[in-house]
Every structure is written in structure tokens, then in C-alpha cells.
Amino acid sequence: MPELPEVESIANRLRMGSDLHPSLVGARILSVQVYWQRSVAKPLSESFIEELKGQTIRRIGRRGKFLVFDLDGLTLLFHLRMSGDLWVESMAQAVAPHSRVCFELASNYRLTFHDPRKFGRVWLLEDADEVLGELGPEPFDPQLTAEVFFQRLSRVRRQLKPLLLDQRFIAGLGNIYTDEALHCAGLHPLTRSDQIRPDQAERLLGCIRAVLEEGIRRNGASIDWVYRGGDFQNYFRVYKRSGLPCPNCGMPIQRITVGQRGTHFCPACQPAP
Ligand SMILES: [Zn+2]
């Protein structure tokens, strides 16, 4: 599933353009085709199609794992979930299988929401907070200081792994970057959030930022056929490496299941609480 660095990389590509297509900032939407009704979470697809006609993409950003397109007074949101991706194609190309929503642009390009597994969603909203309002802070928000982070951790009494995956606690982390950050910080995934010291909280916040920064620098991780172009999968220290040696100490990485999620850690570097 795309996490913060993958979504950031997609937003960057759409914003900056690539060898294959121009930037989408400033592009006007001529028409919209919805091929899978349930991909459109809000409003009903008739209104979605009608309201988007003639809108211009003013800004492309990211909040947590959401792609955020600011239009003229409206916001278009995408959540890619398991297998969603955004492609920019020439209008001359045939619409590919698994295309769920297509946006025909005035520049003779088409923005395609491609999503084989159909869990991804798109919203068109007057007030983006309707969906984004419940999200916790961005990991890179300068107001999220080590002290604020420590207080947030101590207020809740939850195991670190499921807590960091909770988008209301901090936005953008998924399974990969949570496992990598906990290994970097030397904290066991089952450690309770109210039992870590201020210096450990500070180290954890620094590690979250470091692994996300590395992920962004490497254009995210391509761990399956869904998200392509990333390189971070070649630099995992624990994720999907069970049985292989820890890069710090050589102990074999272990895998446990926490809240139904496969969780990878080093039993020596991340001692059990
Ligand atoms: Zn180790």
C-alpha cells in the first residue's frame, strides 16, 4: 500500500511533470468518465462529473496518504489504498483495463485513476476537512516537536506499532515505514507508548523523519507491481527481511503479527518491553 513517501513521489511527478507528460498544475478538466461507481466516495457520480467540468487544477499536494488537488473552490482527494495509482496518458492511448475514473484534460492528456483491486477512493469536496479533518499531525510539521510528540505518546496507552499506524495519531505511516522507524529507534513494536522516556520519544520522532526522508529521496518503495519507479525496497533494514541478518548486529530479523499486520524487528536491537 502506498505510504507517505510513495504518495509524495506521485504528487511530485504530477506537479513537476516528467519526460512523458507536462505538469498537471494549470490543466483544465474538460470531462470525466467514471467506470467504477464505487471509486467515487462523494458526491454521487452524476454530480461529480458535472461539478468537475471546466475546473482547473491549481495545486497538487499531499496530506497523510491522501493526494490533494486544489481546484477552483473545490478539492479533489484521492486515497490509493491497496493498489491505486494515478497515470497521465495521451488521449490517443486506449483506456487501460482497471481504469476506474478518467479525467480528460484540455492539454490532450488524460489523468487516469487506475486501481485493479478497487479499494481506492476519490472525493470532490467544498471542505476538504470533511475527510482530512480527523488526521493527526504531519510527521514533518515543525510544530510536532519532540516534547509534543512525547506528550502525545504518554497520553495514550497503546502499543507503538498499532499506534503509529493510526492515522489520527500521526498521518502518513504504514507498515513499511513504521517497522523501519521502530528498528532505527531501537524500540520493540509492542512497547507501550506511555512507557517510553522523553529521550526515546525524541529518537523515535527523528527516526520516523529519517526513514520517510530516505523513502522520498528514493522515490518510495515498489514492493509489488502496483507502485512503480521506487527504489527504497532495496534499502529495507527489517521490513520483509525475516530470517536475514540485522544490519546493525547480525541477529536474524523476526516476524510477528501485531493487530493483523506482519511486523518485522530485531530481537537484539529492539528488546521486548
Ligand atoms: Zn539488531
Side-chain angles (χ1 to χ4, degrees):
M1 180 193 282
E3 304 179 27
L4 187 155
E6 290 76 40
V7 178
E8 182 76 23
S9 300
I10 293 171
N12 274 332
R13 175 165 50 79
L14 299 176
R15 193 162 49 219
M16 310 293 286
S18 72
D19 295 346
L20 303 174
H21 64 81
S23 164
L24 292 198
V25 177
R28 198 158 59 87
I29 299 168
L30 293 183
S31 66
V32 179
Q33 283 82 41
V34 176
Y35 296 107
W36 183 253
Q37 304 273 339
R38 282 168 61 188
S39 297
V40 179
K42 204 179 176 183
L44 291 175
S45 49
E46 298 78 43
S47 318
F48 182 82
I49 291 167
E50 200 50 44
E51 288 173 35
L52 275 170
K53 227 174 269 177
Q55 290 273 332
T56 299
I57 299 169
R58 301 295 177 186
R59 188 183 155 275
I60 300 172
R62 179 197 56 74
R63 174 80 172 96
K65 300 181 201 170
F66 289 85
L67 276 151
V68 183
F69 285 57
D70 289 334
L71 311 173
D72 304 309
L74 294 170
T75 306
L76 186 64
L77 296 180
F78 294 90
H79 197 298
L80 306 172
R81 299 264 165 80
M82 298 300 287
S83 65
D85 200 356
L86 285 170
W87 296 356
V88 183
E89 307 166 296
S90 157
M91 282 302 289
Q93 275 174 270
V95 174
H98 311 303
S99 298
R100 305 305 174 199
V101 184
C102 288
F103 306 80
E104 188 191 333
L105 306 174
S107 46
N108 256 329
Y109 283 93
R110 175 172 63 222
L111 174 67
T112 297
F113 182 38
H114 187 262
D115 187 21
R117 296 185 63 180
K118 303 179 188 166
F119 292 110
R121 291 291 178 268
V122 49
W123 294 257
L124 181 66
L125 302 167
E126 281 178 30
D127 179 9
D129 272 351
E130 203 180 307
V131 171
L132 304 181
E134 286 205 341
L135 291 178
E138 281 293 311
F140 295 110
D141 185 342
Q143 291 185 359
L144 183 64
T145 60
E147 198 185 327
V148 169
F149 188 59
F150 173 68
Q151 283 162 2
R152 287 177 69 82
L153 286 167
S154 356
R155 263 203 305 272
V156 286
R157 293 172 187 178
R158 291 177 60 190
Q159 293 169 334
L160 289 177
K161 173 76 192 251
L163 180 62
L164 295 178
L165 290 177
D166 186 339
Q167 301 300 298
R168 293 166 299 183
F169 181 76
I170 189 164
L173 292 176
N175 225 21
I176 298 174
Y177 295 92
T178 300
D179 283 4
E180 294 293 318
L182 287 171
H183 178 263
C184 162
L187 290 166
H188 192 282
L190 299 180
T191 307
R192 263 180 44 177
S193 63
D194 57 330
Q195 284 170 358
I196 72 172
R197 303 183 307 264
D199 62 301
Q200 291 174 310
E202 182 170 9
R203 182 162 168 74
L204 177 57
L205 180 61
C207 281
I208 289 170
R209 288 174 172 163
V211 298
L212 291 174
E213 267 167 8
E214 186 180 358
I216 293 169
R217 200 166 61 242
R218 301 191 186 282
N219 294 313
S222 301
I223 47 168
D224 44 38
W225 53 276
V226 176
Y227 171 78
R228 287 159 298 181
D231 197 26
F232 187 51
Q233 68 279 9
N234 300 318
Y235 299 90
F236 291 159
R237 299 169 75 83
V238 286
Y239 185 74
K240 291 265 170 92
R241 286 177 49 85
S242 40
L244 295 171
C246 166
N248 291 351
C249 72
M251 278 279 278
I253 300 298
Q254 281 187 11
R255 182 186 186 280
I256 54 171
T257 303
V258 182
Q260 295 166 340
R261 307 298 297 271
T263 296
H264 313 81
F265 69 101
C266 170
C269 298
Q270 300 166 265

